[in-house]
Structures are given as structure tokens and as C-alpha cells.
Amino acid sequence: MSDFDEDDETLQLYIEESREHLESIESDLLEIEQQGENIDEELVNKVFRAAHSIKGGAGFLGLDSIKDLGHKVENVLDKIRQFELVPTPDVVSVVLEAFDYLREMIDNAVESNGYDISDHVTRLNAQLEGKGGSAVTAPASAPDPAPTTAPDKQGSGEPFELSRYDLVSARKGGKEIYIIRYDGVIQDPAGQEMAVETLRTSLEGSGDILDMKVAESAESDGSYPIWFLLASIIEHELVAMVLGIDEESFQWIEAGDHSQSDGQSAGDSTEEDDDDDNGLAEAIAAASGTVDEPQPAAPVEKVVTANRGSDVAEQRVTKAEPPPPEPAPAPPPAAPTAAQESRAAPEKAKPVPKREDKSSVSAASDSLRVHVSVLDQLMNRAGELVLARNQLLQALDVDDRQGLNNAGQRIDMVTSELQEAIMLTRMQPVGNIFNKFPRVVRELARKLGKEIELVLEGKDVELDKTIIEGLGDPLTHLVRNSCDHGVELPDKRLEKGKPANGSITLRAFHESGQVIIEIEDDGKGLDGDVLVAKAVEKGLVTEGQVESMSTDEKNALILLPGFSTAEKLTDVSGRGVGMDVVKTNLDKLGGEVELLSKIGQGTTVRIKLPLTLAIIPSLLIEGCGERFAIPQINVGEIIRIPAAEVRKQIDKVGGADVLTLRGELIPLLQLNNVLGIEQSFYNSRTGRFERDRRKGLADERLQALYDQGSASDDDDDVADERRIEAESDIQIIILHAGQFRYGMVVDKVQDTVEIVVKPMGRNLRDFKIYAGATIMGDGQVALILDVAGLANEAELGSLSESDKSALLARKTETDSQDATHHSLLLFRNAPDEHCCVPLPLVERIEEVAATDIEIRGGKKVIQYRGGSLPVYALEEVANVEMLEESEELAVILFKVHGHEFGLLAAQPLEIIQLKMELDESTLKQPGISGSSIIRDETTLMLDVFDFAMHLNPDWFQNTVKAVKAFSDDGNIASEATAKPYILLAEDSRFFRDQVRHFIEEHGYQVVEAEDGAQAWEYIDKNPKMAALVVTDIEMPNMNGLQLTQKIRQDSRFDGLQIIALTSLASDADVKRGLDVGIDDYQLKLDKESLIRSITQNFRAPV
Amino acid sequence: MAEQEKKSKPEDQIQISTFYLGDTLCGIDITLVQEINDNTNFTGVPLSADYIRGIMNLRGQIVTVIDQSKKIGFEPTVLTPKSRVIIVNAFNENTGLLVDQIADVIVVDRKRIKSSPSNINGIQGEFIKGVVQTDNNELVALLDINVILKEV
């Protein structure tokens, strides 16, 4: 029976360490299994030693069941090591299960002696006997699982407690430790200090008093016994004589005495005598109890236990009144009796490599290992911070403005570095969780009758501790899914021409400041249509919705709540809960899930994770005077709706406000309503937020319009005010979290900042609408909103489908089928000169003061992100009026051929969506590609590429010039170069130019054609070098579909990919296109996506 | 025995930090008090219980501030320049208690603490641990912090 309660530090240390051993054992065993007969001795040794340490520690702590089972496992491993037993899957399974049971017992160490290990022992014995010939080691009877009673702990009073460090140092110089009892000295514990003092002094002459205790209760004779813990060089045989006490009155604490189980392990060690130094080490370990403690001297150079030093591990020396029968069983052969040897033990034990696998920290452990170099770095930064503080204080003292600036900058820098260094201490390798999967996959594969190979990549990639901990479950689920639903049975795989054994790859890597984890299998892949059918059947989506879905969107259906694809429930995965749970869990970690799948080829689940959760970029918003932070990861976009436009863009459906955004309906929440604060709006006349009497956004505004005549004057003013002022525009933040996607109406959008998440008090911690709080730069506290929690709080349901489709229909009916919808950025140059530019071409928009514009070398530049950005006014190229003079200007940033530049424009800017009919002749001039009537104003369309070309022709020097399929005189161009070319067919010159520039920017040769007929003629004449066709659908003479058909009917163009350009394609259109052989659809001005598609599909002719 | 009563030993005495909630003099054991803060700049927590006045920044730590008056059944505290926040440590965390005004620290004999009547000046009996009379013959209601913060 163990003497230890759960708080005991020794026990905790043992448990922690054993868990670490168990972590690495699993993957090692699986590797051993794979190697079969050709075992890697070092690897087996490693597992052996781990089992050995577990056993040794258990022996020391009196955890007999653990010790016995550990011993059996060790025997089997020993056989494997001696080449007497082949590690077949069966053998390994038994060993793995035994380790599992060990783990369970260790987790429950205090009660572990009550566990029945006979089953495992029998099976281990069977392996030993069955394969290994005569059982050399197995004892005739299975070890008794019943707890052995500890012989000590009979003394009254509490034991002396002594830290190991103290114990070891007390023994220095060959001292022995004794507990000495005096009876009858003290009659009244309150008084008589003198008697005790006399005793003390006399004892101090003989050694060092480590501790003393007086009994709490009196003996029968009314005296209180007193105990001293004494370290003395007097040999135990002489103690009684020297001190003049009875033999019974003292107890000798032998170097190994506190381990009650040495007797047993000593008995065992007879079988292990051939274990050479391992056996010896173990004997010492069990005897001295030191081997399982990390010795400060050895591993600390590299690794430091972060939360507690190992030397505080406590050892208890129990007062036993009649000293235990001294040499109880035969003392272990190697057990040292002299103190010197006990001190030597740690050195001898060192070969047992305890810290070999330093990365494997249990995922849920409370302690953390940090590399000393990281701590050093931290220390350095802290030092720098102190210096910076001194600098700051000094500057404050003498009121030195320049000094303050310097100190401020320095503190800023040091703080960021400090933050980075601290982050490093929390980072752990994903290997910690990856390592458990070989086992999971192996077991599943065996159970399912599949052959699956698991490949682990990027085990060293590090993530924040909290994320690592939260990642275990979702990953297990995903891996199980891949095994169960992904990889097919071997015969099915062979049928399909795949190798019989499937493979699953678990991969981690960094990408743009995030960590990506991919689970890739080469199984059957997701069948979008099956998913669709399921989703429709379960009422998760309507058929109408499905029609316009892309393959990826269909695959993403699996993430919807309440969706499980398992055709039958297996115990491997699927209980009606599935991927949605994974998604929810990952959302909590700030992760995103993406599914990439091809039928028959496999599925890749891609998880994007932030590096840490402690410091997150956030958007600050304001609602009724309070500031709130929203994690940036939940923020999709910010929309400002001018008050006058509210009616157009916001509708009321079934009592809820709904925003129509690019043809999609998004439910709206008003932050103030959800939080129970009165709705307010900014009244620019009073400069304050005022109570808003509206309840909804859409219909009430409408009413305000109708009511204008009848309402009081005051109301009218307010209503007008609201419509005119930009400040009272409605600010909507589009948020997404889990299955929720909604718009939130807020009073004000402030800024993006990095915030430190602080936990809230116990009382507010369960509040689902707040994710915590943070402290702002001014010392004020701001709450962090939980986007999913808010949606729940507001009982945000999805719109009923009929409402949705009705509304969508209403929205779209005005638009003709082939209308070209585009997002345009509207801006002004001169007061009445309206201009626009396609939004996808805009990199960024910055606001600058007119005074920020500097003239350098005859060019206008502004400071931008630490560099100088050239800025131009439109009139520098185009024949337009002068830019309006104003203090506040906007700079629209473009990037052309890798060069960034800004265009100056007058505020305000506006983004609109509309179908655009471009007049490409009337107002065409340099930098301007034409004009369009937008909101009854003639608006000039900026041609970004042409504009840049006029300003900086040299940017374009290295690009390949486009070839026109037809020269201006109508003759077909000859194949200008021998380079592979991309044939671009598009009738609108504006779009042709834009798209051509995108493509050229990436170094491709482009041949332009004004319609399908021209395109065909050219490709027909120059078939050899055609590498890709990019075509518009609607064109005169021959449209894109006809062109595709012609190409597809010609065997010369086998394998040539065709990308269609559209504006808004309906599902039916896409289907028609796919039927004739179009490979991909791309939106006309979606630059990035188009280029990606081009890169993927570009196929240089051989 | 008689001697002992005269010179009351230090361990029999208790220091009480007193303060006003409305016009009522209340007190808590001083060992619970971490500090008294005059920062009454709270950030409201919408939708939280009505006696939660808000949260504040205590040197980088977020501390919940309880409106004690509201909690024990008085009118909500109106902030004045005399308003203070007593930071107490209970349930392993710091919590702020909003009071109208800080009064003296008094030292009283444990024996002089009387069990509480069911209701003092409208304070629910459950919140009161006992009542003690000061040397100025003022009655101090000793509040039971554990009850006040219990379901908070």
C-alpha cells in the first residue's frame, strides 16, 4: 500500500515522468513492430529502459501492481532484445495493451494497487512461453496483485518531512540519519523549554539536528515523547551507547530504508542479474530512490523544468516506533549500505537516459519544459527593459523630449521582443499530438481490415500550448474519419488500380504567419452529389441552393451541424455527430477548416491555426459609449451603408433585418439591441450619440420617410440629419464563426489593435457572449465579444428558405441574364468629375492629409509603411481637370508589374455594385478606358495599366508584348514567337486589356482575339504553341461555347484546357459550359483566382 | 479566568475595516482586504447581473466590481468622489466591492460580536455575520463576504 496521498510531490513527479515515458513508448513500439525480425536494438532498449523506469519508480513508491505489470512487460521486451522473441503484431498488441493499462493505473496511482493485472500478466506470460521457449523468468505463480501491506507507519504523530536535497546534503561526509525518541522528558508541552533545550545542546554535540517534534498527546505516564531527526557520523551500532539511550529509542534511516519494496525488487533482481548495468541501476534506483529524480546536474544544461525544480521533491522519512526488522528480506545485492555509495548512485544511474525524448511532454500537463536558451533570451530582454525604464525615468526627470522619444521607441521594441520570447516558452511541437496517431491508425486499420500507412510530416512545427491541447480531439476525429470513410478496403483499392495499402499523411507547416495542418488520404474522396443528397434529405439545404454550388461548396456541406455521412454507424466514427463537431472545436481555437477532395483520389482536410491565442489582432468597435474588441479572425469585412441607401440594401424578412451583399442574404444583428443597450445614432448637430426610436433598420426608415410630413419638426430634423451626415452612416461588420455568418450593426468602428486576452472573474467567465476582456492603451478595460456566443444570444436562426429565395428573386429580377456585375470604386477628381476603377484592381486605400505629400526629385511621394510611395494625380496622364484642393485626400494604391503606386483622389470614396455598360469610344483617352453612366453621372473608367504605362514605361519593358490575333488591317497575325501562348478571346476591349495585363504580369505570352471567330482562326493556324484558352462566353460572331465546341472536336487540341470568363454564372450556365468541355469558370476581374487557375491549367505544348 | 477577560489577548481581537453603504455602517474582516482603490472608472458588462457594476483594470488584472448596496437590497450606489472600491480576495480571486465611503478600521473583541438580528436597516440577514458596537456606540453590520460573493 502506498503511503502517498495525491498531493505528494514525489508521486506527482513520478506520474508526470511516467506519462512522458509512455508518450514515446507507443510510437517506438509501432516502429519495432514494423521492423519485425530486424529489430533496432537501440530502439528496443529505449522502450525497455522506459518500462524499467516506470517499474523502478513504482517499486520505490510502493505501487506494486504497476511494478509487477511493468516487470512483466520488461521481461517480454528483454526477450525481444535478446532476439528470442519476434515482435509480431500480436506480441506488440499485447505489450501495447499492457502499457495502456499501465497508463490507466498511473493516472490513478493512489488506487493503482487495487487494479487487477492478472489478465495482462497471463497474456504477457503466454507471449513469453509461447514464443520464447522455456520461461526463464516467469515465476511459477503470477505475482500477487493484492496490495502488500507496508510494514511501517505504525508510529504515532506525523512523519518528518525532508526534501531530497536536504536529505542528500545531510548525508554528506558519511553521516547517517537517525530518529531518536526521548520519553519522559517533557511533562507539559507548553512549559519546560529548558529541558528540551538541554537535550538539544547535548545532541548537537553528536551531530546535526535536522528537525524535532513533540508528540501531540501524552503517553500513559503523562509525559510527551519527543523526537529528534539527527544526522551524525556515529555508526548505528554505537548510537545507543554514545547517546546513552535504549536500542529501541532510535531508528536508523538507512540510505534505502524508506523504500518498502526493495525486498521485492531485490528478489526480482535475481532474474535480472544478466541485465548487467540496467539491473544494477534498477537495484540502486529502487534502493536509493534517487534514480527517478532528474538530477539537477545532468539534464539541466539543456532542459529546465519550468514550474518546479526537481530538488524540492520530498522524501518522507517515517517515524517507526519499533524499528522495522532490520534486514527484512535479504538486502539487494547492490544496495549500498554506506552513505557514500548512495551519493554515488545518481552518477551510476545516469546512463539510464531519462531525458532522451525531451520533446514529449504530455499534452495536458501543467508543467512545461523550456529550452534554457529561450530563458536566457527572456532574461536579456528583461534586462533591456530595465535599462529602457531607467532611460525613461531619467528623461522624465530632466524633461528631455528627445530622450522621451528614444525611451519610448526602445520600450516599444523591447516589449515586442519580450512578447515574442515569452511566446516561445509556450510553444510546443505538434509532434506531441501527432505521435499518438500511429497507434490509432494501426488499431483502426486492423479493426477495419484495411492496410493503412501513416506518414507524419513537420512534427517540429510549434504551436501554443493551449492550441496543442485543444487540437487532440479534432485531429483524432479527422484521422479516424480518414481511416474509416476515406481509405477503401484493399480489394476495392486494387480494383481501382491503386496500391492495396492506403496512406494517410499528417502534415504541419507554416504559411503566412499561420500554422497549417493537413490530413490527407488517398481514399475514395468526398462525393459532392452524395453530400448534397444527404443535406437536402436532412433539410439542411434546399435544392435551389444546391444548384448554384461549386464542388468545394458541396464538399463543405459536410461541415454543417447534424451531418454525418457514414452509411452505417460504426464504432470507429459517426454517432450522428461528425465534422461539425470538429469544426466547432477548431473554431474555438480560432482555426479554419477547408476541404479539398477529388472523387476517387482522396481528401485533404486543411486546418489553419493561429500561432497563439494569448495575443490576438482585433477590431475595436464602439457601441453606446463602450468599446468592444472583436477578434480579427471572425471579421470578414466592414461595410458602411450611407443612410440614404439603407432602404435599398437592408430588408426585413420575418421580423429580422437582412442585408443583401453581393447577391447573398446576411442576417443583421444590432449590437446595442443584443446587449440590451438602447439603439443610438450619431447626431452631428449635437455631437453626441442619441437614442434612436427605431426598432428595426429597414422598415422603420421607410416609415420615417412616409411620416415626414406628419411627424413633429424636431423629428424631421433628426431624420434629415441622419440621412445626410457620413458619420451617421450605418456601420456593419460582417462576422463569421462556425456555422454563423451575420452582419453586426455597430455605432462606430475604431481601429485594429493587437490585444492581450485576459480572463474575467469567476462570475463572468461563463458568459458566452464575451470571450474575455482586455486592457486598452489608456488603461481602460474593453470586453472581447464572442462572435458565436452573440449569435446564440440573439437566437440568430437562418432565414427560412422561402423568404430567402423570394427575396433573392426580387433582387435579381431586374438584372438581365448576361448583365455584367462589378464592384467599382467610385471617386472624384475635380468636383464634378466622377471616376471609377474596378475594385479587384485596388490593393488598398489610404487616407492622407494634403500636407503629407512631399515632393522629392520632382515626384510626389508619401511615407508609406516605412518607405516612399510615389503618388500621381489623374491629370498627369489624362486630359482632365485639376484635382480638387482639399486637406484630406485619399490615395488609392495599385500594384502593376510588381510596382506599387498611389492615385490621389478626392474624398469621399464609395464602393458600389452594378452592371456596367462601358462606352469604350466616346471619352477614351490615355489612362481612361471609357465611360459609363453611373447614378446619372458620366463616370470615367480608369485604365490602371494604361495609366501606369504612361507614367513609367520602363515598368513594362520586360514583359512580353501581346500579339493581336488580327492586325488592324484585318490580316491574321503570323505566329510571332515560338513561345507557348495563352489565347484570350474577349470582345470588350476594357476587360481584354485588364485580363491581358494580369496574365502578362505573370510572364505568359498572350494572343488577343476580339471574338470567338478570330480566336478560332488564329488557333487553327497556330495550333502548336497553344497552351491555354481563356475565353469570354458572350461574344459576337462566335461565342465562347461555340469556340469551345470547335476546339474540343479537333484532336490537335487534346489536353488543351479552356477557362471561361464570366461575370455572374448561374449553375445552369456552368453546366452548359462543362457539357461542351470548359474546364474552369472564373470571374472576370478576380485577379488572384484567375491567375491561380491559369497557373494550374497552363500546359506548355510538347 | 477573571484576569483573562480584562486584558483581552490580541488573538481574541479582530480588526474590522468599516465603510458606509448608503447610511449604514458596515464592516468586513480586514484580513480579507487587499487594498482600497479610488478608481471608479469601470467598464460595464451588458447583460450581466444587476449587482455587477462592471470590470476594472487592477494593474493588469481584470477585476469584477460588485455593487454591494444593490446586492444586499439597497438602491444602486451613486458614484461620488467619496466612492471607493475595496479589493477583497475570496474564492481565490480578487473582487472589487463598491462602497459609498470608507470609514475607520476598528479593533473589537471577538466576544463583543453579537449574532445578527434577521434584518438591519433593510439588509437581508443572510448577508450579515454579526453586529458589533463601536466605542462611539455606533452599530457596525459585519458582512459575510462569502455569502455576498457566493453566486456572483
Side-chain angles (χ1 to χ4, degrees):
Chain A
M1 188 63 75
S2 153
D3 283 338
F4 298 91
D5 52 60
E6 291 192 33
D7 309 323
D8 193 285
E9 288 186 10
T10 317
L11 184 64
Q12 285 311 325
L13 260 178
Y14 166 71
I15 291 174
E16 242 171 64
E17 210 172 82
S18 300
R19 281 190 188 143
E20 274 176 36
H21 286 309
L22 289 169
E23 285 296 302
S24 54
I25 278 176
E26 212 167 81
S27 50
D28 292 341
L29 269 175
L30 293 178
E31 212 176 318
I32 292 171
E33 176 188 348
Q34 287 216 324
Q35 291 163 347
E37 285 181 41
N38 312 315
I39 54 165
D40 172 355
E41 260 183 278
E42 195 33 56
L43 200 60
V44 182
N45 267 331
K46 195 176 148 203
V47 180
F48 181 86
R49 286 186 301 247
H52 201 81
S53 308
I54 292 173
K55 179 187 112 175
F60 163 58
L61 292 165
L63 307 170
D64 293 333
S65 296
I66 296 180
K67 190 199 71 185
D68 292 341
L69 185 56
H71 180 63
K72 278 288 149 232
V73 173
E74 211 183 279
N75 286 344
V76 174
L77 289 169
D78 188 38
K79 284 252 170 194
I80 295 174
R81 193 168 60 164
Q82 309 288 343
F83 295 99
E84 286 172 33
L85 190 62
V86 178
T88 59
D90 284 340
V91 174
V92 172
S93 281
V94 172
V95 176
L96 275 173
E97 278 162 27
F99 272 121
D100 281 348
Y101 201 63
L102 273 176
R103 186 195 306 264
E104 205 183 317
M105 287 199 282
I106 286 167
D107 285 344
N108 241 325
V110 177
E111 276 103 47
S112 67
N113 283 352
Y115 278 73
D116 181 10
I117 57 167
S118 53
D119 186 33
H120 288 280
V121 170
T122 318
R123 274 196 285 163
L124 287 167
N125 278 341
Q127 292 301 339
L128 280 174
E129 283 156 12
K131 307 270 162 69
S134 66
V136 192
T137 53
S141 64
D144 183 8
T148 47
T149 44
D152 61 357
K153 187 78 179 175
Q154 313 156 356
S156 56
E158 319 95 275
F160 284 114
E161 281 187 20
L162 204 57
S163 76
R164 169 169 310 282
Y165 176 78
D166 288 343
L167 190 64
V168 170
S169 46
R171 284 201 170 117
K172 274 196 181 131
K175 287 187 186 127
E176 299 287 286
I177 311 250
Y178 303 97
I179 296 173
I180 299 160
R181 173 186 168 137
Y182 287 97
D183 285 315
V185 180
I186 307 174
Q187 301 300 335
D188 172 11
Q192 302 217 9
E193 284 89 355
M194 276 310 293
V196 179
E197 210 39 56
T198 322
L199 248 175
R200 240 185 119 92
T201 331
S202 81
L203 270 180
E204 264 171 1
S206 324
D208 303 332
I209 297 173
L210 302 174
D211 201 358
M212 64 163 281
K213 270 206 174 99
V214 177
E216 280 164 5
S217 55
E219 294 285 279
S220 49
D221 62 353
S223 71
Y224 290 80
I226 176 166
W227 289 274
F228 287 95
L229 190 63
L230 183 76
S232 168
I233 47 163
I234 304 168
E235 281 171 42
H236 69 102
E237 292 92 346
L238 304 172
V239 169
M241 204 184 77
V242 171
L243 298 179
I245 50 173
D246 296 341
E247 285 283 334
E248 284 77 36
S249 298
F250 81 93
Q251 187 196 348
W252 173 37
I253 310 298
E254 254 182 293
D257 198 29
H258 39 267
S259 168
Q260 297 307 323
S261 47
D262 341 328
Q264 221 149 335
S265 60
D268 290 346
S269 67
T270 46
E271 312 154 10
E272 293 161 3
D273 282 345
D274 53 347
D275 285 356
D276 52 77
D277 50 37
N278 275 323
L280 181 69
E282 189 241 11
I284 298 168
S288 68
T290 43
V291 76
D292 279 298
E293 306 305 333
Q295 283 301 307
V300 158
E301 289 155 16
K302 293 218 138 199
V303 172
V304 166
T305 313
N307 69 340
R308 15 179 87 121
S310 49
D311 56 352
V312 296
E314 279 185 4
Q315 199 179 13
R316 288 188 174 197
V317 183
T318 316
K319 265 184 294 186
E321 240 176 308
E326 225 201 84
T337 45
Q340 287 94 326
E341 272 178 65
S342 126
R343 273 184 289 113
E347 271 83 48
K348 281 199 194 166
K350 248 199 305 193
V352 182
K354 326 212 56 64
R355 294 288 181 234
E356 223 173 44
D357 197 352
K358 56 180 175 239
S359 63
S360 58
V361 180
S362 136
S365 66
D366 292 335
S367 61
L368 194 60
R369 288 192 180 162
V370 180
H371 204 282
V372 166
S373 70
V374 175
L375 286 181
D376 286 346
Q377 201 183 341
L378 213 50
M379 195 59 221
N380 282 341
R381 299 285 174 271
E384 273 181 62
L385 195 61
V386 171
L387 293 180
R389 180 201 60 189
N390 294 347
Q391 199 182 354
L392 177 71
L393 291 179
Q394 205 174 5
L396 278 174
D397 261 356
V398 296
D399 205 12
D400 169 9
R401 178 102 199 120
Q402 183 60 34
L404 277 178
N405 272 344
N406 291 346
Q409 274 176 14
R410 191 148 166 208
I411 287 174
D412 180 36
M413 202 180 68
V414 176
T415 316
S416 322
E417 285 173 359
L418 198 60
Q419 178 190 336
E420 257 169 53
I422 298 246
M423 289 255 304
L424 282 179
T425 63
R426 291 182 57 87
M427 295 307 237
Q428 303 206 307
V430 283
N432 288 0
I433 36 175
F434 275 16
N435 282 340
K436 74 174 181 181
F437 288 114
R439 172 84 184 279
V440 171
V441 170
R442 171 185 180 272
E443 310 261 283
L444 276 180
R446 280 182 72 157
K447 199 180 273 173
L448 298 166
K450 294 177 181 177
E451 290 164 30
I452 305 174
E453 186 195 352
L454 180 71
V455 183
L456 300 179
E457 289 174 19
K459 281 204 259 184
D460 299 333
V461 171
E462 292 190 323
L463 271 170
D464 191 274
K465 192 168 161 288
T466 29
I467 299 179
I468 293 272
E469 280 163 14
L471 205 52
D473 285 347
L475 276 190
T476 311
H477 199 103
L478 289 172
V479 171
R480 280 166 166 262
N481 260 346
S482 288
C483 293
D484 195 15
H485 310 308
V487 177
E488 313 90 328
L489 290 166
D491 46 343
K492 264 206 181 150
R493 290 182 65 90
L494 289 172
E495 258 173 49
K496 288 187 183 165
K498 298 192 205 177
N501 64 329
S503 109
I504 295 179
T505 308
L506 212 50
R507 187 181 297 129
F509 56 96
H510 287 275
E511 195 182 275
S512 55
Q514 288 185 309
V515 168
I516 316 278
I517 293 183
E518 284 184 350
I519 299 100
E520 184 183 342
D521 66 56
D522 64 347
K524 61 185 172 204
L526 293 171
D527 186 337
D529 293 333
V530 173
L531 293 175
V532 164
K534 259 264 160 49
V536 171
E537 180 196 311
K538 294 198 174 182
L540 300 171
V541 289
T542 61
E543 288 183 30
Q545 281 176 305
V546 170
E547 245 174 52
S548 52
M549 276 187 182
S550 69
T551 324
D552 284 347
E553 280 172 325
K554 283 177 184 167
N555 287 339
L557 286 174
I558 202 171
L559 301 171
L560 287 177
F563 195 102
S564 179
T565 48
E567 274 170 39
K568 57 175 185 194
L569 295 180
T570 62
D571 65 343
V572 175
S573 56
R575 278 273 179 273
V577 295
M579 293 292 287
D580 54 317
V581 178
V582 172
K583 186 162 164 52
T584 316
N585 280 336
L586 290 173
D587 280 341
K588 276 189 212 148
L589 301 176
E592 286 173 56
V593 194
E594 216 176 287
L595 281 163
L596 311 165
S597 181
K598 279 209 167 159
I599 296 182
Q601 292 179 22
T603 308
T604 303
V605 183
R606 174 183 263 252
I607 304 169
K608 284 187 193 169
L609 291 164
L611 288 173
T612 181
L613 296 179
I615 295 172
I616 50 174
S618 295
L619 181 70
L620 276 188
I621 56 127
E622 214 170 281
C624 218
E626 299 278 12
R627 271 177 301 183
F628 297 94
I630 304 175
Q632 197 85 61
I633 191 149
N634 297 120
V635 177
E637 58 190 301
I638 303 170
I639 294 170
R640 185 160 83 181
I641 301 184
E645 299 256 320
V646 167
R647 272 178 62 214
K648 274 191 214 157
Q649 299 193 33
I650 299 182
D651 290 84
K652 203 163 179 76
V653 178
D657 288 322
V658 173
L659 169 75
T660 316
L661 181 66
R662 292 188 288 275
E664 193 189 347
L665 292 179
I666 297 174
L668 282 183
L669 287 183
Q670 292 187 60
L671 179 64
N672 295 347
N673 283 358
V674 179
L675 296 184
I677 309 172
E678 281 174 338
Q679 179 63 37
S680 64
F681 71 96
Y682 186 77
N683 186 335
S684 61
R685 183 173 299 175
T686 58
R688 283 184 295 125
F689 282 95
E690 293 196 349
R691 204 171 75 88
D692 196 335
R693 282 169 292 273
R694 290 167 299 140
K695 286 209 178 70
L697 282 169
D699 51 358
E700 312 262 335
R701 288 228 184 227
L702 222 100
Q703 211 129 41
L705 272 184
Y706 296 141
D707 291 351
Q708 239 171 6
S710 59
S712 75
D713 287 346
D714 188 36
D715 269 10
D716 270 356
D717 288 350
V718 171
D720 287 343
E721 213 67 62
R722 207 157 57 202
R723 262 184 288 280
I724 297 161
E725 296 297 324
E727 284 86 353
S728 48
D729 289 353
I730 291 189
Q731 307 267 10
I732 298 175
I733 303 172
I734 305 295
L735 298 169
H736 49 81
Q739 75 268 35
F740 294 110
R741 181 171 151 83
Y742 62 94
M744 189 164 72
V745 183
V746 302
D747 286 348
K748 222 171 173 182
V749 176
Q750 286 195 336
D751 204 354
T752 58
V753 283
E754 280 202 332
I755 58 164
V756 180
V757 183
K758 301 256 180 185
M760 299 222 276
R762 154 183 69 95
N763 35 346
L764 298 171
R765 212 164 282 160
D766 294 335
F767 243 115
K768 295 282 180 285
I769 50 176
Y770 307 118
T774 188
I775 295 171
M776 312 304 314
D778 58 5
Q780 285 279 323
V781 180
L783 290 162
I784 304 168
L785 295 176
D786 184 318
V787 172
L790 265 179
N792 277 326
E793 176 71 26
E795 288 163 0
L796 187 77
S798 55
L799 298 168
S800 87
E801 283 315 319
S802 53
D803 283 347
K804 223 178 186 175
S805 37
L807 194 62
L808 265 188
R810 205 172 80 214
K811 286 275 166 193
T812 45
E813 70 192 4
T814 46
D815 311 332
S816 65
Q817 272 296 313
D818 56 351
T820 313
H821 265 80
H822 290 290
S823 297
L824 295 176
L825 176 69
L826 293 186
F827 61 96
R828 279 178 314 124
N829 193 45
D832 284 318
E833 210 161 44
H834 297 264
C835 308
C836 67
V837 62
L839 191 59
L841 303 179
V842 176
E843 289 277 313
R844 239 180 116 80
I845 300 167
E846 294 282 335
E847 288 184 0
V848 295
T851 51
D852 289 344
I853 302 170
E854 305 162 15
I855 310 282
R856 292 283 178 273
K859 281 188 171 181
K860 288 195 281 289
V861 292
I862 55 166
Q863 304 281 334
Y864 177 69
R865 293 186 174 174
S868 294
L869 178 83
V871 292
Y872 305 100
L874 192 55
E875 65 260 23
E876 291 176 48
V877 172
N879 181 18
V880 293
E881 286 174 48
M882 291 284 282
L883 177 68
E884 174 183 342
E885 275 185 37
S886 151
E887 285 177 11
E888 287 290 316
L889 288 171
V891 172
I892 309 170
L893 262 76
F894 300 100
K895 197 170 185 176
V896 171
H897 288 254
H899 302 277
E900 275 194 330
F901 69 95
L903 173 71
L904 292 168
Q907 307 238 38
L909 281 66
E910 195 182 344
I911 293 166
I912 57 161
Q913 272 153 47
L914 80 173
K915 61 171 190 180
M916 188 181 58
E917 273 149 23
L918 194 62
D919 175 348
E920 293 181 46
S921 52
T922 319
L923 293 171
K924 165 121 188 64
Q925 55 160 313
I928 302 290
S929 53
S931 62
S932 182
I933 307 290
I934 297 172
R935 291 205 197 127
D936 306 325
E937 301 275 4
T938 305
T939 307
L940 299 174
M941 169 69 82
L942 176 72
D943 184 333
V944 180
F945 295 100
D946 197 40
F947 184 72
M949 184 119 72
H950 278 89
L951 289 166
N952 293 291
D954 48 320
W955 289 357
F956 295 81
Q957 264 171 10
N958 297 330
T959 51
V960 217
K961 271 251 99 7
V963 177
K964 283 190 178 163
F966 276 74
S967 52
D968 293 334
D969 49 19
N971 291 327
I972 192 159
S974 61
E975 199 152 5
T977 62
K979 281 186 77 173
Y981 66 88
I982 293 175
L983 181 62
L984 171 65
E986 161 70 65
D987 57 331
S988 153
R989 179 163 166 197
F990 168 70
F991 285 115
R992 196 166 63 230
D993 280 356
Q994 307 299 319
V995 175
R996 191 194 79 211
H997 278 294
F998 298 162
I999 305 177
E1000 280 178 0
E1001 257 185 320
H1002 287 79
Y1004 297 107
Q1005 168 83 49
V1006 178
V1007 173
E1008 309 180 294
E1010 285 172 25
D1011 57 39
Q1014 279 193 1
W1016 172 249
E1017 258 185 77
Y1018 187 82
I1019 198 169
D1020 188 38
K1021 294 257 167 61
N1022 305 294
K1024 269 197 194 138
M1025 283 298 151
L1028 181 66
V1029 177
V1030 178
T1031 176
D1032 186 19
I1033 297 290
E1034 298 296 331
M1035 286 184 292
N1037 299 330
M1038 182 193 288
N1039 69 22
L1041 295 178
Q1042 293 163 328
L1043 174 65
T1044 306
Q1045 264 168 336
K1046 269 194 112 85
I1047 293 175
R1048 285 288 172 249
Q1049 282 159 7
D1050 197 320
S1051 62
R1052 285 177 300 169
F1053 302 118
D1054 283 353
L1056 182 67
Q1057 304 281 305
I1058 301 175
I1059 299 173
L1061 290 177
T1062 70
S1063 21
L1064 267 184
S1066 73
D1067 204 39
D1069 289 340
V1070 173
K1071 199 168 176 317
R1072 212 144 40 96
L1074 294 178
D1075 285 346
V1076 296
I1078 284 171
D1079 295 289
D1080 193 12
Y1081 267 91
Q1082 288 296 329
L1083 286 179
K1084 270 185 187 163
L1085 289 180
D1086 188 349
K1087 188 168 155 182
E1088 282 168 25
S1089 168
L1090 175 62
I1091 290 301
R1092 208 179 311 140
S1093 175
I1094 286 176
T1095 324
Q1096 272 168 15
N1097 290 309
F1098 187 84
R1099 198 163 295 187
V1102 200
Chain B
M1 281 295 148
E3 276 176 37
Q4 268 189 354
E5 197 155 355
K6 264 190 202 163
K7 54 156 197 176
S8 57
K9 285 186 186 168
E11 58 262 35
D12 290 336
Q13 293 187 327
I14 177 171
Q15 293 194 57
I16 292 170
S17 172
T18 64
F19 48 84
Y20 285 96
L21 295 181
D23 296 328
T24 311
L25 188 59
C26 303
I28 54 175
D29 183 347
I30 202 162
T31 55
L32 294 167
V33 178
Q34 301 292 309
E35 67 178 85
I36 292 168
N37 203 306
D38 62 0
N39 172 13
T40 49
N41 209 345
F42 316 129
T43 300
V45 182
L47 298 187
S48 58
D50 55 359
Y51 52 79
I52 291 183
R53 195 56 182 250
I55 51 183
M56 63 180 273
N57 169 15
L58 181 73
R59 293 184 295 278
Q61 190 190 6
I62 307 282
V63 167
T64 313
V65 180
I66 308 291
D67 188 339
Q68 277 200 106
S69 295
K70 179 78 195 164
K71 176 78 188 186
I72 63 175
F74 291 177
E75 285 296 302
T77 307
V78 179
L79 289 180
T80 68
K82 285 185 171 175
S83 301
R84 293 289 182 274
V85 178
I86 303 180
I87 309 289
V88 296
N89 193 296
F91 300 100
N92 290 324
E93 65 175 34
N94 287 338
T95 309
L97 302 174
L98 181 60
V99 302
D100 285 309
Q101 190 186 336
I102 285 292
D104 294 334
V105 174
I106 55 169
V107 182
V108 295
D109 222 309
R110 276 184 201 280
K111 296 198 189 74
R112 283 169 57 198
I113 299 175
K114 307 277 185 300
S115 67
S116 64
S118 64
N119 174 321
I120 303 174
N121 283 2
I123 309 178
Q124 296 299 311
E126 54 177 321
F127 297 118
I128 304 173
K129 240 180 179 170
V131 184
V132 74
Q133 203 162 17
T134 66
D135 298 338
N136 310 335
N137 285 333
E138 268 184 298
L139 270 187
V140 179
L142 297 181
L143 298 179
D144 190 336
I145 291 299
N146 287 338
V147 177
I148 288 181
L149 298 182
K150 193 168 69 188
E151 87 253 26
V152 179

